[in-house]
Amino acid sequence: MTTPLFDTIALIGIGLIGSSIAREIRHKHLARRVVVSTRSEETLRRAAELRLGDAYTTSAAEAVHEADLVIVSVPVGASGAVAAAIAGALKPGAIVTDVGSTKASVIAQMQPHLPAHVHFIPGHPIAGTEYSGPDAGFIGLFRSRWCILTPLPDTDEAAKAQLRRFWEALGSNVDEMDPGHHDKVLAIVSHLPHIIAYNIVGTADDLETVTESDVIKYSASGFRDFTRLAASDPTMWRDICLHNKEAILEMLARFSEDLAYLQRAIRWSDGDKLFDLFTRTRAIRRSIVEAGQDTAAPDFGRHANDPVE
Amino acid sequence: MTTPLFDTIALIGIGLIGSSIAREIRHKHLARRVVVSTRSEETLRRAAELRLGDAYTTSAAEAVHEADLVIVSVPVGASGAVAAAIAGALKPGAIVTDVGSTKASVIAQMQPHLPAHVHFIPGHPIAGTEYSGPDAGFIGLFRSRWCILTPLPDTDEAAKAQLRRFWEALGSNVDEMDPGHHDKVLAIVSHLPHIIAYNIVGTADDLETVTESDVIKYSASGFRDFTRLAASDPTMWRDICLHNKEAILEMLARFSEDLAYLQRAIRWSDGDKLFDLFTRTRAIRRSIVEAGQDTAAPDFGRHANDPVE
Ligand SMILES: NC(=O)c1ccc[n+]([C@@H]2O[C@H](COP(=O)([O-])OP(=O)(O)OC[C@H]3O[C@@H](n4cnc5c(N)ncnc54)[C@H](OP(=O)(O)O)[C@@H]3O)[C@@H](O)[C@H]2O)c1
Ligand SMILES: NC(=O)c1ccc[n+]([C@@H]2O[C@H](COP(=O)([O-])OP(=O)(O)OC[C@H]3O[C@@H](n4cnc5c(N)ncnc54)[C@H](OP(=O)(O)O)[C@@H]3O)[C@@H](O)[C@H]2O)c1
C-alpha cells in the first residue's frame, strides 16, 4: 500500500459530490482517516450506513480540527456560513478547498472568514449527474473529467501541488484559471444549458394545446434530453443563479439575440441561413467526442441499456 | 415461419429511418420481397452491401410498381417530388405511407399527386438518433416508441389496421391524431428542443470571452447534451423548420416569454421563483422514465460505457 496523500481529510457536505469523493478516497487509500460532516442527522446516518468515513458529526467545526485537507461540498449559497463555522477550528497549514459551481461568489463568501494560517484553494470538478444525496455518488465520477482550481494570488505552491495530486488521483485533469473567467465559462457550458432546459420543460408544462400526456409519450424525439438536466437539484440551481448572476445574464442576452436571428430565418423561410447554422454546430460535437468528453454511441448509448429481444 | 404481412414493400429513401425499417422487415420476415430505392448511386450501393433489400434501383417509380406497401423516408421537403415520381406507377390498393417529422406539409405536398386507387396514410415514428444514412439504422430503434398516424378522413379501415400491425410488429405503439395536432405536439417535444440546441451551440461558438477549447473541455457540465441534438442532419432540420413554421414560431414565442420571466427572476435575485420553477420540472422527468420513454440511469447511463479500472 502506498502512503496516503493526507493524514486526515474532512468532508463538509456528503451529497453527490462529497460522497463520490469519499468513495474515491477509500478506494484509492488517499487518507488515513476521513471525517464526514453534514447538516442533518438523517444524511449523516445514511453516510455512516454507506461507510463513507471513519467518523461522523453534524458539527463542521468538530470535523475539521485535525484535518489536513477540508473539502466543502455544499450548495454555493451555504459556503459563507460553513466557512464561518469552521474558521476557528482549522489546523495551521491545512488546505481548505470547495467544489462549488461558482467561484467568485464562493471566494467572496469564504475568504473573509478563513485564518491566514490555512491554504484556501477554491476548486470545481466538472463532473456530476442529475441525482443528489449520499446514495447518488459513485467511483469514477471524476475520471477523465476536468477539475478547475481558481487559486488566489500568492497561493502556496506546495499546497497547490498537493491538491492537484489529490484530484489527479481521482482520475481528473487539473486546470487553473481566475475565478472571473471560470464563472463566464461555466455560465455558457453549464448554467445556461440548465436554465434553458428548466425553461423549456416549464413551457411545455404550461401549454393549453398540447397535453402533458402528449409531451411524455413523444418525448423520445428530443424533449427527454432536456428533462434530465431539468431534474437537477433545485436548491443547487437556485444558488447558482443567485451567485453567478452577471455572467448568466450576459450569456442569456447573447443566446436570446441569436435566437431572434434564427426565429427571423424561420419566419422568412431562409433555408440557406438555417442550413448554415445547422451545419457548423456539428464540428463542436465531433471535438467533444474526440476530447473524450462524451460518448459517440447514438443517443448517448441509451440503446446499450435496452433489453435484448 | 409466419405469413409475411405484405408481399412486396418498397422503401423510398434508405437512411437512418428507411434502413432501420429494412432491417426490421428482414429480421421479422414482414415481407416476401423488399425493393430499395434511393436518389444516389452511392447510397444505393451501400444499401446493397448491407443487404437491406432484395432489389435496388435509383428509380422510385420502378421500385413501387409491384409494392403493396410503399414507405417514403426522405427529408420532408422532398416528399412532394417523390409523390409525383411514383404516382403513375403505384399498384391499385397499395398503401402509401411516410415517416416525415411534419405532417400537414407532407400531406399538402403528396396528396395532390397520389391516385384515388391507393391508400395514403401519413405516419411518423417518434424514434431516431443524431446519425444519418444507411449505416446508422439498427434493429430496435422503434421498440417501445410511439408511431403516430395522421390518416385523412374516410381512410380505409382495413388498410389502416394493416399499417398499424406493421408498426406494432416493429415494437411500436400506434397512435392516431389529426395532422395539425401532430405538428403542434412535435413543435414542442422535438422541433423546439433541436432549434434551441442548435442555437446554444451556435452562441457558444461565437463568444469572444470563452474559447472553443474551454467549451469542449468543460462540456460535461451540461453543454455536451445539447451538442448531440445539434449534430443532427442539417437538411432534415432545415426542411422541418421550413415545413412546420407556424407551430414552431408559436412555441418559440411561448419559450421566449417564459425565458424573459426567468431572466427577470435572476436579475432581481428572486430565489423563491427560481426554486419553484426548478422544482416543478422534476415531475415530468419522473413521468417520462415511468412511461418507459427514457432510462433512469444517471447521465443517460453514459457511465455504463466507461472502461472499468
Ligand atoms: N451535482 C452536480 O452535478 C455538481 C457538479 C459539480 C459541482 N457541484 C457543486 O457541488 C456542491 C454540492 O453539490 P451536490 O450535488 O453534492 O449536492 P447534494 O447532493 O444536494 O448534497 C448537498 C450537501 O450539502 C449539504 N447542505 C445543503 N444545504 C446546506 C446548507 N444550507 N448548509 C450546510 N450544508 C448544506 C447537504 O446536507 P444535508 O443533506 O445534511 O442537508 C448535503 O450534505 C454544490 O456547490 C454544487 O454547486 C455539483
Ligand atoms: N432522424 C430522425 O431522428 C428521424 C426520426 C423520425 C422521422 N424522421 C424523418 O424521416 C425522414 C428520413 O430521415 P432519415 O434520418 O432517415 O434521413 P437520412 O438518414 O439522411 O436519409 C435520407 C434519405 O432520403 C434521401 N434523400 C435525401 N434528400 C432527398 C431528395 N431531395 N429527394 C429524394 N431523396 C432524398 C437520401 O438519399 P441519398 O442518400 O441517396 O441522397 C436517403 O436515402 C425525414 O423526413 C425525417 O424528418 C427522422
Side-chain angles (χ1 to χ4, degrees):
Chain A
M1 212 172 94
T2 52
T3 330
L5 272 173
F6 293 93
D7 187 75
T8 301
I9 297 181
L11 300 175
I12 314 298
I14 195 76
L16 168 70
I17 302 297
S19 80
S20 294
I21 294 174
R23 288 171 168 92
E24 295 282 359
I25 294 172
R26 187 179 55 191
H27 182 61
K28 300 246 174 70
H29 311 292
L30 300 177
R32 195 186 52 79
R33 191 160 176 271
V34 173
V35 185
V36 171
S37 177
T38 188
R39 187 177 54 160
S40 71
E41 291 286 358
E42 194 192 331
T43 304
L44 195 68
R45 197 162 37 229
R46 188 62 193 140
E49 281 165 17
L50 294 167
R51 300 173 173 278
L52 297 174
D54 302 290
Y56 303 89
T57 169
T58 52
S59 158
E62 195 182 304
V64 303
H65 79 278
E66 289 194 327
D68 310 290
L69 173 65
V70 176
I71 307 179
V72 179
S73 311
V74 302
V76 291
S79 46
V82 168
I86 62 174
L90 290 165
K91 200 167 100 169
I95 296 173
V96 177
T97 189
D98 78 307
V99 299
S101 305
T102 68
K103 294 273 63 82
S105 149
V106 165
I107 294 171
Q109 290 177 80
M110 293 185 72
Q111 201 188 6
H113 297 290
L114 298 175
H117 64 68
V118 303
H119 306 291
F120 175 44
I121 311 174
H124 179 203
I126 310 301
T129 77
E130 66 276 28
Y131 291 96
S132 321
D135 285 283
F138 56 92
I139 286 177
L141 175 61
F142 307 108
R143 209 171 289 155
S144 304
R145 297 285 88 86
W146 288 88
C147 179
I148 300 176
L149 303 181
T150 60
L152 305 165
D154 305 320
T155 295
D156 183 75
E157 288 298 326
K160 211 167 64 182
Q162 178 83 338
L163 185 59
R164 272 185 167 268
R165 273 194 294 274
F166 177 78
W167 282 108
E168 284 162 4
L170 269 50
S172 293
N173 304 309
V174 180
D175 247 354
E176 277 179 46
M177 58 178 77
D178 77 79
H181 186 63
H182 167 278
D183 288 356
K184 271 194 206 265
V185 171
L186 270 290
I188 186 73
V189 298
S190 175
H191 307 169
L192 193 58
H194 280 82
I195 288 166
I196 294 301
Y198 278 118
N199 193 65
I200 198 170
V201 177
T203 301
D205 200 26
D206 281 344
L207 294 173
E208 307 78 27
T209 47
V210 176
T211 67
E212 196 180 299
S213 151
D214 285 334
V215 170
I216 291 162
K217 281 160 81 173
Y218 312 125
S219 58
S221 53
F223 187 77
R224 63 177 178 174
D225 284 26
F226 289 66
T227 63
R228 187 185 78 80
L229 294 181
S232 301
D233 187 60
T235 304
M236 167 177 163
W237 283 97
R238 178 202 59 201
D239 278 13
I240 289 172
C241 288
L242 298 176
H243 288 269
N244 196 21
K245 193 157 114 170
E246 299 307 321
I248 290 174
L249 289 174
E250 180 188 330
M251 296 306 167
L252 263 173
R254 288 293 291 259
F255 172 84
S256 297
E257 193 180 306
D258 293 344
L259 191 60
Y261 175 86
L262 212 168
Q263 190 166 347
R264 222 181 122 82
I266 295 173
R267 188 175 306 280
W268 296 99
S269 298
D270 190 339
D272 292 343
K273 267 207 187 104
L274 295 170
F275 189 86
D276 280 355
L277 172 62
F278 298 171
T279 303
R280 75 186 175 99
T281 49
R282 291 191 131 173
I284 296 195
R285 173 79 189 160
R286 209 175 309 124
S287 306
I288 288 173
V289 170
E290 281 166 10
Q293 295 303 317
D294 207 346
T295 169
D299 241 333
F300 304 122
R302 279 170 173 130
H303 269 278
N305 307 321
D306 284 356
V308 258
E309 206 170 306
Chain B
M1 212 171 94
T2 52
T3 332
L5 272 173
F6 293 93
D7 187 77
T8 301
I9 298 181
L11 300 175
I12 315 297
I14 196 75
L16 169 69
I17 301 296
S19 80
S20 294
I21 294 174
R23 286 172 170 92
E24 296 281 357
I25 294 172
R26 188 178 56 192
H27 182 61
K28 300 245 173 72
H29 310 292
L30 300 176
R32 195 185 52 78
R33 189 158 177 273
V34 173
V35 186
V36 170
S37 177
T38 188
R39 185 176 55 159
S40 71
E41 291 285 358
E42 193 190 334
T43 304
L44 195 67
R45 195 164 36 228
R46 187 64 193 140
E49 280 166 15
L50 295 166
R51 299 172 174 280
L52 296 174
D54 302 292
Y56 303 89
T57 169
T58 52
S59 158
E62 195 183 302
V64 302
H65 79 281
E66 290 192 328
D68 310 291
L69 173 65
V70 176
I71 306 179
V72 179
S73 311
V74 303
V76 292
S79 44
V82 168
I86 62 174
L90 289 165
K91 200 167 96 167
I95 297 173
V96 177
T97 189
D98 78 306
V99 299
S101 304
T102 68
K103 294 273 59 83
S105 149
V106 164
I107 294 171
Q109 289 177 79
M110 293 186 73
Q111 202 190 6
H113 296 290
L114 299 175
H117 64 67
V118 303
H119 306 292
F120 174 43
I121 311 175
H124 178 202
I126 311 300
T129 77
E130 67 276 29
Y131 291 96
S132 322
D135 285 283
F138 56 92
I139 287 176
L141 175 61
F142 308 108
R143 210 172 288 157
S144 304
R145 298 283 91 85
W146 288 87
C147 179
I148 300 176
L149 303 181
T150 60
L152 305 166
D154 306 319
T155 296
D156 183 74
E157 288 298 328
K160 212 168 66 183
Q162 178 82 338
L163 186 58
R164 269 184 169 269
R165 274 194 293 277
F166 177 79
W167 282 107
E168 283 163 5
L170 268 50
S172 293
N173 304 310
V174 180
D175 247 353
E176 277 179 43
M177 61 178 75
D178 76 81
H181 186 64
H182 168 279
D183 288 357
K184 270 193 207 266
V185 171
L186 270 290
I188 186 72
V189 299
S190 176
H191 309 170
L192 193 58
H194 279 83
I195 288 167
I196 294 302
Y198 278 119
N199 194 65
I200 198 171
V201 176
T203 301
D205 200 25
D206 281 344
L207 294 173
E208 307 77 27
T209 46
V210 177
T211 66
E212 196 181 298
S213 149
D214 284 335
V215 169
I216 290 162
K217 281 161 80 174
Y218 312 124
S219 59
S221 54
F223 187 77
R224 62 178 178 173
D225 284 26
F226 289 66
T227 62
R228 186 185 78 81
L229 294 181
S232 302
D233 186 60
T235 304
M236 167 178 163
W237 282 98
R238 178 202 59 200
D239 278 14
I240 289 173
C241 288
L242 298 177
H243 288 269
N244 196 23
K245 192 158 114 170
E246 300 306 322
I248 289 174
L249 289 174
E250 181 189 329
M251 297 306 167
L252 263 174
R254 289 292 291 258
F255 171 85
S256 296
E257 195 181 305
D258 293 345
L259 192 60
Y261 175 87
L262 211 168
Q263 191 166 347
R264 225 182 119 82
I266 295 173
R267 188 175 305 282
W268 295 99
S269 299
D270 190 338
D272 293 341
K273 268 209 189 102
L274 295 170
F275 189 85
D276 281 354
L277 172 63
F278 298 170
T279 303
R280 74 186 176 97
T281 48
R282 291 189 131 175
I284 296 195
R285 173 75 188 162
R286 211 175 306 123
S287 306
I288 287 173
V289 169
E290 282 165 10
Q293 294 303 317
D294 207 347
T295 171
D299 240 332
F300 305 121
R302 278 171 173 129
H303 268 279
N305 307 322
D306 283 355
V308 257
E309 206 171 307

